[in-house]
Amino acid sequence: MAFSGWDNAAPGEEYSIDEIAAYYGTIGPYSMLEAPSLSRWGRFPFMVRALAKNGVEGLFEPDAKVRVFMRPMPGANGVMDYDIRAFPEDIFDKPETLRRFIDMAEERAIHQSDPKGDEPWSEMFSAKEYRMPYCEALLGLEPPYSEEDMLKMYRAFADQNAEIDRRCAILSGLFRTGAERFSGFCFALAREGLDDPDGRRLFAPWDVVLLFFEFEENGDIRNVATVPLRMVNFYVPEKLKAFADKIGTEEQEA
C-alpha cells in the first residue's frame, strides 16, 4: 500500500524514506519526513523533521537527519516562499532541548541584529504564541495561551510588578541604558495594540515591548516611551545606548 501520510499509515507497515519524502515533498535541499508543525519560535514559527538526502556542502553529509525551521515570506509572482534554517535532529532528543534551543537561538538573533527603526510589525514577539528568553518572567511561560489565559496573566504581572498607563504590565526589573535622559528600560506585556499616525502597526495586544524611562532627580518617573521590541538591540550596550539617546533627542525636539 502506497504511503499517504502518517495519519493513514497502517500499524506495523514499513515505508521507505523515498516514499515518505515523495509524499511530504521538499523544502530547499531537504526532504520532509512529516507535515510541518508549530515550533513556538517567533522568528521561524514552523518546523519539520527532514532528510538532507544529497547532503548540504559545509553543513550536512548525505542522508543526515535534520530539523528545519521555516518562516513564510512573500516570493516571486505572489507565490509563498520560506526562509529556512536547518540543524542536526539529534540535538532535539527531548522536549526541553527544543525550548533551550529556541532560547539560545533567539538571544543570538538579537545580539546579531542591527535594527534601522523601520522594521515592519510581525507576530514574532507575541507572548500568547511564542517563547521568548529575555527575562525570568518570560522564561517561565509555556505558550500557546488562550485569550482568557492572557488576561489573567496580564493582571497577575500588573499586580505583582506594576502597570503603566493601564496598558502595559511590567515583566522585569530595570536595566540601565547608559543614556543620560532615558536611563533605564524594562520588558513589559502590552494589553492593547498601537498603530503609528500612518496606520502602520507598532505592536499588537499581548506583544512583549520595551518601556524606556526618564526619571526626575528624586527618582520619580518623568516620562515613559513604549518601544516595539524589534526596533532595539538591547543586548549590545553601544546599540542600546545609541537608541536611548535617540529617544531623548526626539523627545526634546518634539
Side-chain angles (χ1 to χ4, degrees):
M1 182 177 177
F3 182 76
S4 58
W6 291 115
D7 290 342
N8 302 315
E13 189 77 22
E14 294 185 359
Y15 303 95
S16 70
I17 292 294
D18 288 340
E19 285 181 288
I20 298 168
Y23 179 80
Y24 286 112
T26 61
I27 183 162
Y30 307 104
S31 300
M32 295 189 289
L33 302 177
E34 62 185 2
S37 60
L38 296 174
S39 72
R40 299 304 164 195
W41 182 16
R43 291 179 192 274
F44 295 90
F46 300 99
M47 64 182 181
V48 66
R49 291 185 303 134
L51 193 74
K53 186 172 177 58
N54 298 316
V56 178
E57 187 176 357
L59 292 176
F60 302 108
E61 296 294 326
D63 293 329
K65 292 182 179 179
V66 300
R67 183 80 61 98
V68 181
F69 291 83
M70 306 176 288
R71 180 168 190 81
M73 55 189 300
N77 301 318
V79 178
M80 184 62 68
D81 199 358
Y82 291 90
D83 185 12
I84 64 174
R85 300 289 187 276
F87 302 89
E89 175 60 31
D90 58 10
I91 69 175
F92 304 103
D93 56 342
K94 298 177 182 178
E96 58 267 26
T97 61
L98 175 59
R99 293 193 293 270
R100 287 199 296 267
F101 169 82
I102 292 173
D103 295 346
M104 175 194 69
E106 180 58 25
E107 286 188 346
R108 184 177 181 183
I110 296 289
H111 267 288
Q112 296 177 341
S113 69
D114 190 21
K116 306 302 181 189
D118 58 354
E119 290 76 12
W121 175 86
S122 77
E123 77 292 341
M124 72 171 65
F125 298 115
S126 170
K128 183 173 184 285
E129 300 294 340
Y130 301 114
R131 181 169 177 83
M132 285 170 274
Y134 316 127
C135 63
E136 187 175 347
L138 289 169
L139 283 169
L141 303 185
E142 292 290 346
Y145 292 101
S146 68
E147 192 73 11
E148 183 180 1
D149 289 335
M150 292 306 298
L151 288 166
K152 291 178 180 177
M153 185 188 302
Y154 179 91
R155 191 73 265 152
F157 282 128
D159 291 344
Q160 176 183 330
N161 301 322
E163 186 179 21
I164 300 296
D165 297 336
R166 297 184 179 181
R167 58 183 175 80
C168 289
I170 289 178
L171 298 175
S172 73
L174 201 63
F175 301 92
R176 294 186 180 275
T177 67
E180 182 176 348
R181 291 193 61 191
F182 285 85
S183 58
F185 83 96
C186 72
F187 297 94
L189 180 64
R191 188 182 67 173
E192 301 173 353
L194 180 68
D195 296 342
D196 71 10
D198 295 328
R200 293 175 298 184
R201 173 58 53 94
L202 293 175
F203 52 86
W206 314 131
D207 276 2
V208 175
V209 297
L210 300 175
L211 301 180
F212 283 77
F213 294 93
E214 181 184 11
F215 296 100
E216 304 282 1
E217 288 186 5
N218 64 3
D220 290 344
I221 296 173
R222 175 185 295 173
N223 203 355
V224 181
T226 305
V227 177
L229 197 147
R230 67 185 180 277
M231 293 185 178
V232 191
N233 182 333
F234 46 82
Y235 281 133
V236 177
E238 295 80 8
K239 293 181 179 180
L240 173 62
K241 180 180 182 300
F243 184 85
D245 283 336
K246 180 182 177 182
I247 296 176
T249 300
E250 291 175 350
E251 180 68 23
Q252 202 166 24
E253 294 174 351

